[in-house]
Amino acid sequence: MSVTTVERAASVEPPARSQPSYLTSGNTIASWLLTRDHKRIALLFLASITFYFFIGGIAATLMRLNLATPQGLLQPAVYNRMFTMHGIIMVWFFLIPSIPTTFGNFFVPLMIGARDLAFPRVNLASWYVFNLSGLVVLYALIMGGADTGWTFYTPLSTVYANGYVFAAAMAVFINGFSSIMTSLNFIVTIHRMRAPGMTWMRLPLFVWAIYAVSIVMLTATPVLAMDTFLLAVERFIGVGLFDPNHGGDPLLWQHMFWFYSHPAVYIMILPAMGVVSELIPCFARRPIFGYSGMTIALMSLAILSFFVWAHHMFVAGISIYAGIVFSLMTFFVAVPSAIKVFNWTVSLHKGSIVFDAPMLYALGFVLLFTVGGVTGLMLATLAVDVDLHGTYFVIAHFHYIMVGATVSAFFGALHYWWPKITGRLYPEMWARFAAILTYVGFNLTFFPQFILGYLGMARRSYTYPAVWQSWNLLSSAGASILAVAYVLPLLYLGWSLFRGLKATANPWGATGLEWTISSPPPKHNFERTPVVVTEPYCYDPERHTFVTQEGVLHDE
Amino acid sequence: MTNSSSVAPEIQFANLEQQGDTAQLGIWVFLVNETIFFGALIFTYFVYRISYPQEFAAAAKDAVLWCGSVNLAILLTSSLTMVLAINAGAQGRRQEMVTLLIVTAALGCAFLLIKGYEYYLDFQDHVVPVVDFATKPGEGSAGELFWIFYWVATGLHAIHLMIGIALVLYMLLWRIRRGEIGSAYYAPLEVVGIYWSFVDVVWLFLYPCIYLVGRS
Ligand SMILES: [Cu+2]
């Protein structure tokens, strides 16, 4: 192990606490709502996105309920509104902010040894803007919702749709500012606020992932902002730049929409990859395999994600040559993705693996991400896409990435960092049960949809031929299991807040700087600025020791 | 009056230098985002201009050239006074800094006044889509696309300029009055100046798109 200044620590305990934790310093409502502490803002975001996760989840429940029978239980118009609101809320109000605004917010400063993000007020403003956009989307939902699909394709969205498209589009527009503020903060923080010795090649991979995702957010979101702004103008005044009656091009909307929304998939998956890169070395008790390869893969995914958007438009009327180029580029994306999967897998080799709940979620992530990635390549193949476009195969594919992979990683992160955030341990057996239930429920829900898509069932249809009912029933049954698996953590984590065992500073024996301070962390994180002397993930599976990034050797 | 600063760095920074440095990087990163925001709009403009060159040239003839040109001169001058203000602040010449900032804000307001007058002329010329639009010979139905671009682009630019004026006033009435900007620490003023110049540069791109099309 390439550690220079190694000293043996007498105890894993942190020094006696001299300032109150961030949770106990200030208990008024104002001290939360006007806080500039990145840790409190992270918890505010956690509360907000959990709320929207369950709102979007209710819409999904109604959809699966409807599809349990071939003729459908809901009115067709209601069904259209349900899948639209499900998509809008889950994409912009849960998945995109999910990991960056919560765990990114909480742990990026801690992991790089900073006392806060670079711009704490911008961080707080981001939360308020997020909630403003949330109110607008709730308004759209309560007034009756939109029925355009989350993609707002013109001219359906500008001329023919009857719902509250203007409000929904404005919600997405406003939401973008929250993304932009958060990502700007991360980029500047990671550039300027690293502790002495924390070089780029010593950054934990989670920080690298947040950096990569911030760049994607910062450069993709303004295109969506302009796109939805023009859409809202057109919807509002009745004439606009996408209006075919005036020579406008509806495909232009699609190009600009996917120029954002393909990178958006990477906005959802890159932070998840970062989380898993923390979990696997910690629970396999060995260094990550190919650290520098992982950083290069993250950055090339961020860059390549901008050159593949038209693979969503193969059958929309783009030229065949454009199709070939975008198909090829999409295959290139598979290379860094595969590098990451190989590296995670090899990182297990000769480790001494502990199957705690975070690790179960991480392993679930790798498996589900692989299925989602491989089916993505099938869809990127031009001829196959002509057949499968607009079917449940596509639905299953992107849910494997966005729900299977990202939400698994979100729950993995939640369990891994729960002791640090709250100072309490969660009940391990319940958590393992929930992790396994998530995996089973997820596959039961979405694998049948691959088959349905292959058989030709169209997405966004409220009804289907009776021969497909058994697959649809299986999927709906799986969804109910998945719902239990998602509600369960709410219960036992809530219980642990009051009854859980007190957590020590470093319950997992992990190497990052966030574990060198007490749980929960003090208000200003570090009493003295830490000095970093080594790369992350210095675990030794044979001697059962590990070295923190400050260079302190611990026994397990 | 003390020239500079009872200013202490915020809790997350080691010293004022790091704080100023970070603020500067912050505004540049923000401008990356802004560039792409306006870039997307100008991109849509070029898509249509290439599709409908004659129609766009015909429609653009109705744009009020003198308003746009005078405004270009005003904004370029205001960027100059802005830079001079930062220089004066950096060298501790407080009175000069204040005067130059007032001139900068006044030039910004002059731009908006002329822009407002131009909007008035546009109304009289019936080039306001939906509200009052008359298709002129030669511009076909695509001419209206040009005018939608015109209103969206100039409107968004004007909003950005208003924010810029508000920031300059915030510097004058709050930060400088409280003695927080001086030779020791002037990063906030620099940040405002960078933003101001960006708004200026946006006009530099919008001006040829709107006023010079097809005038050869
Ligand atoms: Cu895509």
Side-chain angles (χ1 to χ4, degrees):
Chain A
M1 212 172 293
S2 61
V3 179
T4 46
T5 55
V6 171
E7 59 193 62
R8 186 164 287 264
S11 154
V12 195
E13 285 300 306
R17 183 174 291 168
S18 56
Q19 46 174 320
S21 88
Y22 79 101
L23 289 171
T24 51
S25 59
N27 276 324
T28 59
I29 291 178
S31 78
W32 279 89
L33 294 183
L34 299 176
T35 183
R36 294 183 201 163
D37 183 350
H38 66 104
K39 302 183 286 301
R40 286 195 168 192
I41 296 170
L43 293 191
L44 293 175
F45 264 117
L46 186 62
S48 295
I49 64 165
T50 306
F51 173 73
Y52 288 107
F53 179 67
F54 284 103
I55 298 276
I58 289 169
T61 310
L62 287 174
M63 285 160 68
R64 281 320 317 171
L65 207 62
N66 175 75
L67 292 173
T69 64
Q71 63 280 6
L73 296 169
L74 302 176
Q75 297 286 325
V78 175
Y79 184 78
N80 289 349
R81 280 150 205 256
M82 280 305 119
F83 72 68
T84 302
M85 298 319 282
H86 168 69
I88 292 173
I89 289 177
M90 283 303 200
V91 168
W92 283 292
F93 294 87
F94 177 71
L95 286 166
I96 283 176
S98 62
I99 295 174
T101 60
T102 55
F103 304 112
N105 227 332
F106 202 108
F107 288 106
V108 164
L110 293 178
M111 287 173 131
I112 65 175
R115 279 190 295 261
D116 205 324
L117 287 172
F119 308 117
R121 273 171 296 232
V122 174
N123 197 15
L124 182 64
S126 173
W127 183 69
Y128 278 102
V129 171
F130 177 82
N131 282 318
L132 175 66
S133 70
L135 286 181
V136 177
V137 88
L138 286 181
Y139 163 79
L141 179 70
I142 290 166
M143 297 304 286
D147 56 358
T148 58
W150 75 285
T151 50
F152 294 107
Y153 272 12
T154 57
L156 170 65
S157 58
T158 47
V159 181
Y160 300 107
N162 289 318
Y164 284 75
V165 181
F166 178 74
M170 283 316 283
V172 172
F173 176 73
I174 300 168
N175 185 279
F177 290 99
S178 171
S179 286
I180 289 164
M181 286 192 257
T182 299
S183 58
L184 178 145
N185 226 333
F186 285 140
I187 292 176
V188 176
T189 303
I190 294 170
H191 269 282
R192 286 283 192 266
M193 315 280 288
R194 284 170 285 129
M198 182 58 93
T199 59
W200 283 91
M201 293 318 266
R202 283 178 183 166
L203 283 176
L205 284 170
F206 180 70
V207 179
W208 265 106
I210 293 292
Y211 183 72
V213 78
S214 300
I215 288 181
V216 179
M217 267 191 190
L218 184 88
T219 46
T221 312
V223 177
L224 180 78
M226 183 50 77
D227 207 20
T228 46
F229 183 75
L230 294 175
L231 177 81
V233 167
E234 182 165 348
R235 177 86 191 174
F236 194 66
I237 67 171
V239 208
L241 289 172
F242 307 117
D243 185 355
N245 289 329
H246 294 85
D249 187 355
L251 267 195
L252 183 63
W253 161 268
Q254 294 187 27
H255 276 294
M256 286 170 74
F257 180 81
W258 289 114
F259 185 84
Y260 165 82
S261 288
H262 181 80
V265 178
Y266 292 77
I267 295 175
M268 301 171 205
I269 200 71
L270 288 172
M273 291 173 160
V275 166
V276 170
S277 303
E278 295 296 314
L279 298 182
I280 285 183
C282 178
F283 291 90
R285 311 304 303 166
R286 57 152 288 171
I288 193 110
F289 178 84
Y291 172 89
S292 52
M294 292 295 244
T295 62
I296 295 167
L298 278 173
M299 293 313 286
S300 38
L301 278 176
I303 293 163
L304 280 173
S305 72
F306 282 98
F307 299 97
V308 301
W309 76 87
H311 63 209
H312 298 269
M313 301 167 59
F314 285 155
V315 297
I318 62 171
S319 90
I320 184 72
Y321 303 105
I324 290 169
V325 171
F326 280 105
S327 173
L328 191 69
M329 290 304 290
T330 308
F331 276 87
F332 285 155
V333 172
V335 176
S337 307
I339 288 175
K340 297 199 77 73
V341 172
F342 288 138
N343 283 7
W344 288 319
T345 314
V346 179
S347 296
L348 300 171
H349 181 61
K350 290 195 175 169
S352 85
I353 301 172
V354 191
F355 289 100
D356 283 335
M359 185 60 159
L360 293 177
Y361 279 116
L363 295 174
F365 168 95
V366 176
L367 291 165
L368 298 176
F369 175 72
T370 307
V371 175
V374 169
T375 51
L377 289 181
M378 293 164 72
L379 289 168
T381 315
L382 283 172
V384 178
D385 186 65
V386 172
D387 186 33
L388 293 178
H389 188 94
T391 68
Y392 263 83
F393 195 89
V394 178
I395 302 286
H397 151 69
F398 73 71
H399 279 84
Y400 263 78
I401 299 284
M402 285 152 63
V403 184
T406 301
V407 179
S408 286
F410 179 81
F411 277 106
L414 187 62
H415 287 83
Y416 176 61
W417 280 311
W418 187 256
K420 180 56 65 185
I421 294 173
T422 63
R424 301 282 184 159
L425 297 176
Y426 61 83
E428 185 59 46
M429 276 305 158
W430 277 104
R432 288 185 196 175
F433 176 63
I436 293 167
L437 205 62
T438 306
Y439 188 75
V440 172
F442 179 85
N443 277 303
L444 213 54
T445 310
F446 290 101
F447 203 84
Q449 298 186 5
F450 279 126
I451 296 161
L452 283 168
Y454 180 76
L455 294 173
M457 180 166 163
R459 67 189 290 193
R460 291 173 176 161
S461 166
Y462 75 100
T463 178
Y464 55 86
V467 283
W468 292 336
Q469 189 177 11
S470 47
W471 291 116
N472 272 298
L473 262 182
L474 202 58
S475 179
S476 292
S480 61
I481 297 177
L482 196 57
V484 172
Y486 285 158
V487 174
L488 210 51
L490 210 61
L491 302 178
Y492 63 76
L493 289 178
W495 175 88
S496 80
L497 277 181
F498 304 99
R499 295 293 178 79
L501 294 173
K502 287 254 194 301
T504 57
N506 193 357
W508 307 115
T511 58
L513 290 180
E514 80 267 34
W515 301 105
T516 61
I517 54 176
S518 51
S519 309
K523 184 154 188 256
H524 293 305
N525 301 352
F526 299 95
E527 285 169 42
R528 49 168 189 86
T529 307
V531 177
V532 177
V533 298
T534 178
E535 65 266 34
Y537 319 123
C538 288
Y539 301 99
D540 189 336
E542 272 150 30
R543 275 181 238 128
H544 298 285
T545 56
F546 64 95
V547 181
T548 67
Q549 286 202 273
E550 285 188 301
V552 183
L553 178 70
H554 292 286
D555 288 318
E556 264 166 38
Chain B
M1 182 163 289
T2 52
N3 189 2
S4 71
S5 57
S6 47
V7 204
E10 288 184 31
I11 178 76
Q12 70 271 28
F13 298 110
N15 48 41
L16 274 179
E17 196 195 339
Q18 190 195 12
Q19 178 170 325
D21 219 33
T22 307
Q24 252 199 33
L25 181 65
I27 190 70
W28 283 113
V29 171
F30 176 68
L31 291 187
V32 169
N33 158 69
E34 285 276 57
T35 307
I36 298 172
F37 182 68
F38 279 102
L41 183 61
I42 293 174
F43 170 79
T44 63
Y45 167 84
F46 274 103
V47 167
Y48 291 134
R49 181 167 162 195
I50 290 166
S51 307
Y52 311 106
Q54 276 92 33
E55 290 87 341
F56 263 49
K61 286 227 165 57
D62 291 334
V64 190
L65 180 62
W66 72 265
C67 285
S69 310
V70 170
N71 267 344
L72 181 68
I74 287 177
L75 267 197
L76 286 177
T77 315
S78 76
S79 268
L80 175 69
T81 55
M82 186 81 214
V83 173
L84 291 176
I86 296 171
N87 250 358
Q91 288 158 19
R93 297 196 301 278
R94 185 191 149 98
Q95 195 47 52
E96 190 184 333
M97 167 174 73
V98 169
T99 315
L100 283 165
L101 282 179
I102 292 171
V103 173
T104 307
L107 286 170
C109 292
F111 177 99
L112 289 177
L113 280 177
I114 295 178
K115 192 76 227 164
Y117 181 64
E118 186 185 349
Y119 281 159
Y120 168 74
L121 295 178
D122 292 333
F123 262 99
Q124 299 207 313
D125 202 22
H126 313 292
V127 291
V128 191
V130 182
V131 180
D132 181 9
F133 192 83
T135 307
K136 309 275 168 61
E139 63 177 53
S141 61
E144 204 161 347
L145 294 182
F146 174 86
W147 285 105
I148 291 168
F149 168 81
Y150 168 83
W151 285 93
V152 169
T154 56
L156 283 175
H157 177 263
I159 290 172
H160 277 77
L161 186 59
M162 286 177 207
I163 294 171
I165 294 170
L167 288 173
V168 172
L169 291 179
Y170 166 67
M171 286 291 132
L172 279 170
L173 300 177
W174 188 254
R175 302 300 289 264
I176 293 175
R177 242 168 56 122
R178 285 161 54 107
E180 291 177 6
I181 307 289
S183 52
Y185 185 66
Y186 53 96
L189 187 59
E190 233 174 352
V191 165
V192 173
I194 294 171
Y195 175 82
W196 188 276
S197 298
F198 171 79
V199 177
D200 184 2
V201 169
V202 169
W203 191 251
L204 214 54
F205 279 84
L206 292 182
Y207 174 72
C209 288
I210 292 169
Y211 298 94
L212 303 184
V213 189
R215 292 199 200 247
S216 59

